[in-house]
Amino acid sequence: MDVFVELVFHGLIAACIYALLASGLVFIYSTTRVFHLAHGGVIALSAYAFWFTTSVLSWNIVLSALMAIVTSTVLGLVMNELVYEPLRRRNSKGLGYLIATIALLMISGALIIAIFGGQNQSLGFSSQVHVIVGAHVTTLQLLLMATTVVIFFLLHLLSTHTRFGKTMRATADNEVVASVLGIDTRQIRRLTFALGSALAGVAAIFYALEFNLDPNMGVMMAIKGFTAAVIGGPGSMTGAIVGSLLLSGVEQASVWYLGSSWRNAMAFTLLFIFLLMKPHGLFGRRFS
Amino acid sequence: MAEKNNNALLWTIGIVLIVLGFVYFSATGGSGGTLKVGVLTPLTGDAASYGTAMQRAYDLAVSQINAAGGVNGKNIELVYEDSKCDGAAATTATQKLVSVDGVKFILGGTCSGETLAAAPITQAARVLLLSPSATSPDITDAGDLVFRTYPSDDFEAKMVASYAESTGQMRAAIISETTDFAQGVRNAFKASYTGEVVFDETFNSGETDFRTLITKLRAANPQMVYVSPQSPAAGELILKQIAESGMNVAVFANNAMIDRSAIAANPSLYEEVVMAEVQLPSEGKAVDMLTAYEAMYGNSPEFVAYTASAYDSVYLLAEAVGSVGEDAEAVAGYFGYQVVDWPGAIGTFNFDENGDAEVELTLVQAISGALVPLQAQANVVPEVETTK
Amino acid sequence: MAFLADGLVSMDAYLIHLGSLIGIYILMSLSFNLVVGYTGLLNLGHVGLMGIGAYVSAILVKNFHLPFALGLLAAGLLTMCVAGILALPAKKIKGDYYALVTLGFLFVVFAVLVNGESVTRGTLGIPGIPRPEMFLSNSMYLLLVACITATTFLFLDRLVHSPFGRALEAVRDDEEVAQMLGKPVFKLKLIAMMISGFIVGMAGALLAHFVQFIAPNSFWLDLLVSALSGMMIGGVASMRGTVVGVVILFALLEPLRFLSFPSSLIGPLRLMIMMCLLLFIILRRPRGLMGRAELES
């Protein structure tokens, strides 16, 4: 029994991490229709900014956290302005964006090595361990779960109860109509990238505290966030949560029943089967 | 308008090509006063953390040798190629080093894979390949000009296994990373451990979440855990998550986890972890190397044993070239017959008949953030506890 | 001693080595373009197929001592079958979503290569993959690669200019219209995928026997970026463009080895320059230098 509760907690913690990784991806995709894989690179770079300011420059941890969020927001905006907007102006199609985003992902990894060096970095962070119904959970992990819930709640409010949310959805559904209606679609996309990338900063902070840093972590994060987002349906926030839970559940089950090395294999098999059966994800809808 | 733009692009590409082509051919020109040595190491990609650690060690050794007058009056010039731990990238890089730069000696590769991919090319061109860190058993048969300065995995695992047995830990769990080095250590441990292996699982590189694995491990109820990661980063995460899981178990680890600064930074995580360390002598070259390393880079090396091995490989090569000249075959002969109890930073070493190094190992235990040799307290049985 | 730096002769050895690699990459990009550029299926699992071909031939020739030619053929045929299976989702799924499915396929192939240790040796990779006696030297191997590449190019170039090729393009441009005109849409996609699979499987086998060492990470995102770049630079839906594109890719990247950077920055700087060049080309010419089509998303 205890073991089961513990496994559920492990699954929840991993699911929260994946949901944070996926949230920015989904948020950006739902408005701009850009599958921003370089989001993983943005997370990795801001995680390094967090580590650098807190461990090397010994800033206050709150200040460093702000720095991480500022970094990720700026990076997201720069990528949008320098790469995605010009591509849009040229009426580029899916393939162009895809190559561009993979190139940006690779550039992020190279930037980390060039600026911070190729070593792994440890923040050496540890927090109080609590025993909740027989499972061991740390303060950080509780905070992580709470933050994830709050973020998704806020995102939900934003998209359903604000004017900004409505204009976002209008932009996503039909850009031409939206601009005829007087919506500055470019500005909306800019704001979307800023907000979505700010989420990358939040993910970066938790990831860095929980799992430390590796210069190549961006690729794996992009892949995991991508998997969670696609299983759920890349345009849906609910989908991102459900996708993360499913992904994490399958991963924990495959570690438990098959062994740790099968973890990614099973996760990707799940993704593959899901795409075959429900290509638009669980909560995706077709966009005309 | 669009057409005009396109022409401009074609022109730009053309000009870039011409300029690069010019650089390309001019760079292949003379190499009069220097001893060119190729380096194969992953500088980007998954393995960049080991690759760049190697690079620092090479740069350190070369700057010292050059400052002391070089080899036979020539400065050593390192030509780096990014081999990415990938076969195809390594072959192109090797081919370029061998045929364009005309090097006769290559340091590397860092991974076994790239070393194995490079070997057919270096063998055909009769170029010496000296790897400081490739541990795959396949390297032994890679060719007569392929050498490595890193010890075989067997010794360290054997040492840890027999120590564990002597302290009565007869139920072992093993967690290992799916890399050649970590798997080599794991297999050697299994081969020499006489107790029962109750749990034996592998994880892929880049894995960060070991919690379910640890819960499963706990269910197998072992007395000890043998952790065999590829890098200190993965190992530290395992220790952290073992501690957070509330499990009390004796932890033993392979020497990839010997990162003195990490251990000093997190004494409670590493407390009482037992490892077999490639013994860096407490005097002579090893101390010089560590001091110089700190002076040059401002911190202690992440992979001490690999760093020492890479550092030694430069000195070994310099010494061999210094006495027999710039000839790969002669240097190979020198390695085979003249390198006897060679005093290096990594310890006193010899190449065995397969070109592998033999070095000394000591058992150490992390106590309050420092590594204490176990021989000094051989009669003290350590407390079986890792969490504070 | 005998190894004096003889500028020209030794440069040749390097260029011959690159030649084989370029040939193999051209094979990979040509077959990629057939599916992506002509048929409009964004198959990101292409390098996964290449990995399958490489492993099949490597294992058959090294462990079962099959002749090289048989290994090559087996690699092509088996990959063709897998490609056929990978074409099945294309019946229902289109555009970006097909790209996602096939990217998922690439991840699965990678995971299976890493985990199927008893057959693939996992991350240790397969060393010492033999080359056939006749093509032992790099120059002979280049000849072999050149012959296969040239034949493939001629075949594909004729194919895409045949009624079959025009039918493929009709499917790419507007599937509904093609359907109405009575074109067997799915069958066309399936055949294109299978031809592409056969070619890329052989390309994988050629790579395996050329490098003589393969590991799962040889067929991962880096290679996918190369395949995409080769096709994008040269041109979507242009066989000639693809050949030019791959050559330009190498001509742009290889010289980066000769630029001198501070040693600690060599690796990342080269990678960044390469990626920026790629971005520059996509931004300036979304269709590539000689491309005729753009892809619907």
Side-chain angles (χ1 to χ4, degrees):
Chain A
M1 186 57 208
D2 275 4
V3 167
F4 183 73
V5 175
E6 192 144 319
L7 291 183
V8 168
F9 265 101
H10 297 164
L12 280 178
I13 295 162
C16 287
I17 295 271
Y18 294 155
L20 280 183
L21 299 181
S23 61
L25 266 181
V26 169
F27 189 72
I28 290 171
Y29 182 84
S30 67
T31 304
T32 63
R33 292 286 172 271
V34 174
F35 224 114
H36 180 42
L37 288 178
H39 196 67
V42 173
I43 300 177
L45 271 166
S46 28
Y48 268 84
F50 180 66
W51 160 77
F52 188 75
T53 49
T54 175
S55 290
V56 180
L57 305 180
S58 0
W59 287 13
N60 179 297
I61 197 158
V62 179
L63 217 62
S64 301
L66 276 177
M67 181 64 193
I69 293 175
V70 170
T71 310
S72 67
T73 312
V74 171
L75 282 171
L77 279 174
V78 167
M79 286 179 182
N80 182 44
E81 292 301 317
L82 289 188
V83 179
Y84 297 133
E85 283 298 331
L87 276 176
R88 192 176 295 272
R89 276 199 295 280
R90 296 199 145 252
N91 272 323
S92 185
K93 298 287 166 32
L95 185 62
Y97 284 109
L98 188 81
I99 299 177
T101 195
I102 293 180
L104 287 173
L105 183 61
M106 299 268 186
I107 291 175
S108 315
L111 262 181
I112 290 177
I113 296 178
I115 300 173
F116 301 105
Q119 309 93 313
N120 293 310
Q121 301 292 354
S122 162
L123 282 114
F125 181 85
S126 58
S127 54
Q128 182 80 38
V129 179
H130 309 274
V131 180
I132 299 173
V133 277
H136 292 75
V137 188
T138 64
T139 312
L140 177 70
Q141 290 161 2
L142 291 174
L143 196 64
L144 162 70
M145 290 192 239
T147 311
T148 313
V149 172
V150 171
I151 281 180
F152 274 86
F153 182 67
L154 289 179
L155 284 177
H156 176 73
L157 281 188
L158 180 77
S159 65
T160 51
H161 285 76
T162 62
R163 218 187 95 74
F164 175 63
K166 280 175 197 137
T167 49
M168 258 175 57
R169 271 180 294 141
T171 310
D173 283 347
N174 193 329
E175 205 193 321
V176 180
V177 174
S179 30
V180 169
L181 290 174
I183 296 171
D184 183 354
T185 53
R186 187 167 177 194
Q187 189 66 20
I188 294 291
R189 284 195 297 274
R190 204 175 278 152
L191 282 172
T192 308
F193 259 94
L195 246 168
S197 303
L199 293 174
V202 178
I205 296 160
F206 280 103
Y207 198 93
L209 290 174
E210 182 72 18
F211 295 131
N212 298 335
L213 305 173
D214 151 14
N216 228 43
M217 66 205 245
V219 176
M220 210 53 205
M221 289 195 290
I223 292 175
K224 284 291 166 74
F226 161 87
T227 309
V230 170
I231 290 174
S236 150
M237 277 293 161
T238 326
I241 299 175
V242 177
S244 304
L245 285 169
L246 230 121
L247 172 63
S248 161
V250 166
E251 284 190 0
Q252 307 300 337
S254 52
V255 172
W256 186 258
Y257 291 110
L258 292 174
S260 186
S261 62
W262 283 97
R263 180 185 192 134
N264 289 342
M266 294 317 288
F268 299 144
T269 311
L270 171 81
L271 171 73
F272 190 58
I273 293 172
F274 241 87
L275 281 166
L276 285 185
M277 292 174 35
K278 287 199 76 85
H280 302 277
L282 279 175
F283 292 82
R285 53 189 179 118
R286 263 169 198 281
F287 295 96
S288 45
Chain B
M1 178 61 208
E3 207 44 46
K4 212 171 170 186
N5 242 338
N6 298 338
N7 287 339
L9 178 72
L10 280 175
W11 274 110
T12 321
I13 289 184
I15 290 167
V16 169
L17 280 179
I18 291 164
V19 170
L20 288 180
F22 188 72
V23 176
Y24 196 75
F25 285 98
S26 65
T28 61
S31 59
T34 60
L35 168 63
K36 270 193 179 181
V37 175
V39 183
L40 278 181
T41 193
L43 299 171
T44 57
D46 291 331
S49 60
Y50 332 121
T52 48
M54 294 301 176
Q55 189 179 32
R56 289 168 161 226
Y58 292 137
D59 284 345
L60 175 66
V62 166
S63 70
Q64 288 180 339
I65 292 171
N66 287 349
V71 180
N72 295 340
K74 283 175 160 184
N75 276 351
I76 300 180
E77 181 194 344
L78 294 181
V79 185
Y80 280 99
E81 283 299 329
D82 184 0
S83 47
K84 301 183 180 179
C85 256
D86 167 53
T91 51
T92 312
T94 312
Q95 192 71 58
K96 182 254 177 186
L97 287 173
V98 165
S99 43
V100 181
D101 297 309
V103 301
K104 285 167 223 131
F105 312 99
I106 295 180
L107 297 166
T110 297
C111 314
S112 297
E114 61 196 25
T115 313
L116 289 168
I121 297 173
T122 55
Q123 283 295 115
R126 305 308 290 163
V127 167
L128 186 112
L129 189 63
L130 178 58
S131 167
S133 55
T135 54
S136 162
D138 300 321
I139 305 272
T140 305
D141 313 317
D144 61 331
L145 295 182
V146 181
F147 290 83
R148 56 178 161 189
T149 54
Y150 203 73
S152 156
D153 315 322
D154 299 8
F155 309 118
E156 75 158 293
K158 225 176 264 173
M159 228 169 163
V160 170
S162 64
Y163 177 77
E165 290 156 13
S166 74
T167 53
Q169 330 244 6
M170 300 309 278
R171 287 171 63 79
I174 307 174
I175 303 181
S176 56
E177 190 164 338
T178 52
T179 61
D180 47 15
F181 163 72
Q183 288 306 307
V185 178
R186 166 208 178 196
N187 293 334
F189 180 86
K190 275 170 79 174
S192 67
Y193 184 64
T194 56
E196 189 189 353
V197 176
V198 294
F199 178 93
D200 175 22
E201 281 210 11
T202 57
F203 64 90
N204 293 329
S205 302
E207 187 64 80
T208 50
D209 175 9
F210 302 99
R211 292 192 197 87
T212 299
L213 188 68
I214 289 165
T215 306
K216 195 174 168 185
L217 182 156
R218 196 175 55 193
N221 192 26
Q223 288 173 303
M224 61 164 285
V225 181
Y226 187 53
V227 184
S228 178
Q230 173 73 35
S231 67
E236 188 177 312
L237 275 177
I238 295 177
L239 291 185
K240 180 179 171 190
Q241 294 176 16
I242 286 181
E244 286 174 0
S245 79
M247 179 167 47
N248 287 341
V249 64
V251 179
F252 295 75
N254 74 18
N255 73 45
M257 281 185 63
I258 297 181
D259 174 356
R260 283 165 196 277
S261 47
I263 295 169
N266 262 315
S268 65
L269 268 190
Y270 287 89
E271 193 65 22
E272 296 185 349
V273 173
V274 175
M275 294 167 271
E277 185 180 29
V278 172
Q279 185 178 20
L280 298 196
S282 53
E283 54 191 9
K285 252 187 203 153
V287 181
D288 291 349
M289 178 195 81
L290 290 172
T291 323
Y293 190 99
E294 295 238 18
M296 191 155 164
Y297 300 113
N299 53 8
S300 64
E302 189 181 10
F303 304 92
V304 181
Y306 283 158
T307 302
S309 178
Y311 180 85
D312 280 346
S313 66
V314 181
Y315 269 97
L316 255 179
L317 186 64
E319 184 187 301
V321 172
S323 53
V324 297
E326 296 177 36
D327 177 64
E329 313 266 356
V331 168
Y334 184 90
F335 282 172
Y337 299 106
Q338 245 91 340
V339 176
V340 178
D341 294 336
W342 191 78
I346 200 167
T348 309
F349 83 71
N350 299 287
F351 286 111
D352 67 15
E353 66 272 25
N354 295 320
D356 300 349
E358 297 169 10
V359 302
E360 297 277 314
L361 290 152
T362 356
L363 273 180
V364 291
Q365 186 170 33
I367 304 282
S368 318
L371 289 176
V372 183
L374 268 178
Q375 267 79 346
Q377 37 162 330
N379 48 356
V380 184
V381 178
E383 281 285 314
V384 182
E385 195 174 349
T386 51
T387 46
K388 289 293 104 211
Chain C
M1 250 172 284
F3 205 82
L4 284 168
D6 184 344
L8 270 175
V9 172
S10 44
M11 193 72 187
D12 281 354
Y14 171 56
L15 292 178
I16 286 171
H17 176 93
L18 281 182
S20 303
L21 215 52
I22 290 175
I24 294 169
Y25 274 55
I26 288 178
L27 277 179
M28 169 178 79
S29 296
L30 283 175
S31 51
F32 195 44
N33 212 340
L34 177 69
V35 165
V36 182
Y38 285 93
T39 321
L41 289 172
L42 191 39
N43 173 21
L44 296 183
H46 198 68
V47 298
L49 293 174
M50 188 163 174
I52 293 174
Y55 269 87
V56 166
S57 183
I59 292 168
L60 286 181
V61 176
K62 192 189 172 200
N63 299 354
F64 297 94
H65 308 289
L66 249 62
F68 171 74
L70 269 182
L72 207 61
L73 194 68
L77 290 175
L78 204 106
T79 314
M80 183 173 87
C81 297
V82 179
I85 296 170
L86 193 58
L88 297 181
K91 205 165 192 169
K92 290 196 295 187
I93 303 168
K94 299 194 185 76
D96 278 0
Y97 283 98
Y98 188 70
L100 300 186
V101 173
T102 48
L103 191 57
F105 170 79
L106 173 60
F107 295 163
V108 173
V109 170
F110 181 75
V112 169
L113 292 181
V114 168
N115 285 289
E117 281 169 50
S118 51
V119 184
T120 64
R121 291 182 25 118
T123 43
L124 301 187
I126 301 180
I129 302 165
R131 270 193 209 174
E133 214 50 39
M134 211 177 130
F135 303 109
L136 220 46
S137 76
N138 271 355
S139 28
M140 284 310 285
Y141 204 86
L142 173 62
L143 201 66
L144 172 75
V145 172
C147 286
I148 295 180
T149 309
T151 317
T152 311
F153 171 75
L154 290 176
F155 166 70
L156 286 177
D157 201 43
R158 292 195 66 171
L159 184 77
V160 296
H161 291 109
S162 71
F164 175 78
R166 283 191 289 276
L168 286 182
E169 295 201 71
V171 171
R172 175 198 68 210
D173 291 336
D174 197 325
E175 213 174 305
E176 269 100 57
V177 172
Q179 192 102 50
M180 272 188 290
L181 292 174
K183 299 257 194 306
V185 171
F186 175 67
K187 203 168 153 199
L188 285 168
K189 286 181 181 173
L190 183 71
I191 293 172
M193 273 295 277
M194 289 177 77
I195 295 175
S196 162
F198 185 82
I199 296 168
V200 80
M202 278 207 326
L206 284 173
L207 184 71
H209 293 276
F210 177 62
V211 176
Q212 299 180 275
F213 173 83
I214 48 171
N217 70 349
S218 313
F219 305 98
W220 192 223
L221 299 175
D222 290 18
L223 193 64
L224 178 61
V225 173
S226 304
L228 284 167
S229 321
M231 188 186 69
M232 272 312 281
I233 295 173
V236 173
S238 164
M239 289 296 168
R240 265 159 243 192
T242 304
V243 176
V244 175
V246 173
V247 173
I248 290 184
L249 185 69
F250 273 83
L252 284 176
L253 298 186
E254 287 298 322
L256 292 180
R257 293 181 192 278
F258 298 87
L259 295 175
S260 46
F261 296 119
S263 81
S264 65
L265 291 176
I266 289 177
L269 269 186
R270 282 182 195 161
L271 187 67
M272 274 191 273
I273 293 178
M274 162 176 171
M275 289 300 143
C276 290
L277 281 172
L278 184 60
L279 275 179
F280 179 76
I281 291 173
I282 302 167
L283 287 175
R284 292 270 128 198
R285 283 243 30 192
R287 293 172 180 204
L289 295 177
M290 298 166 75
R292 297 178 301 111
E294 261 194 70
L295 294 168
E296 289 298 332
S297 60

